[in-house]
Amino acid sequence: MSDARIDRLEDSSVVAGPEAYFTGRVRTEGRFAAPEPARLRGVTVTFEPGARTAWHTHPLGQTLIITAGVGWIQVEGASRKTVRVGDRIWFPPEVRHWHGATATSAMTHLALQEARDGSNVTWMEHVSDAEYDPTSHK
């Protein structure tokens, strides 16, 4: 039997969210991927006001746990919803969605998803300003 693996916070780095997948200032911290045969992967993501992901899907779904601030989430074809500290969100497998901060508040979440065939996300196009906040573009 092997011993437990501990990934220490002080050994993790804070990385800017890549412009190809995010709009605005985004930081990721504490990325982890459980060793095979496990499939679990996760990361803490902080979005500054106005920042968000691009549209994307996850092959086995995604769970978000909001740990700070106020944010918005949206599933394609549904209305945008507000999320707050303590909220837990489940996006089903292959459901196109985005998430991020509101226009005026930062938001941090823990994102958990499983990989299938080595992939845990499929990125798509950026969320437009009108999609992000339709109330500010009348």
Side-chain angles (χ1 to χ4, degrees), residues 2 5 7 32-42 60 112-120:
S2 68
R5 184 180 91 187
D7 295 324
F32 70 87
E36 290 194 10
R39 302 184 293 192
L40 185 62
R41 298 183 181 183
L60 297 172
L112 302 166
Q113 54 274 322
E114 292 183 282
R116 180 175 22 184
D117 300 325
S119 174
N120 66 332

Side-chain angles (χ1 to χ4, degrees), residues 7-9 12-15 28-33 42-44 110:
D7 295 324
R8 302 282 182 197
L9 179 60
S12 66
S13 59
V14 176
V15 178
T28 64
E29 181 178 5
R31 292 176 185 256
F32 70 87
V43 64
T44 299
L110 174 61

Side-chain angles (χ1 to χ4, degrees), residues 84 88 127:
R84 294 177 175 79
R88 297 159 311 279
V127 173

Side-chain angles (χ1 to χ4, degrees), residues 44-123:
T44 299
V45 185
T46 299
F47 300 85
E48 295 300 321
R52 68 257 190 195
T53 67
W55 287 101
H56 61 285
T57 63
H58 299 276
L60 297 172
Q62 181 183 48
T63 297
L64 301 180
I65 301 169
I66 310 304
T67 60
V70 180
W72 287 329
I73 65 159
Q74 186 171 17
V75 169
E76 186 175 46
S79 62
R80 183 186 72 194
K81 294 180 174 53
T82 300
V83 293
R84 294 177 175 79
V85 173
D87 289 348
R88 297 159 311 279
I89 301 95
W90 165 249
F91 296 105
E94 303 299 350
V95 169
R96 198 170 127 99
H97 67 279
W98 66 267
H99 36 93
T102 69
T104 58
S105 175
M107 187 268 289
T108 300
H109 66 50
L110 174 61
L112 302 166
Q113 54 274 322
E114 292 183 282
R116 180 175 22 184
D117 300 325
S119 174
N120 66 332
V121 63
T122 299
W123 291 104

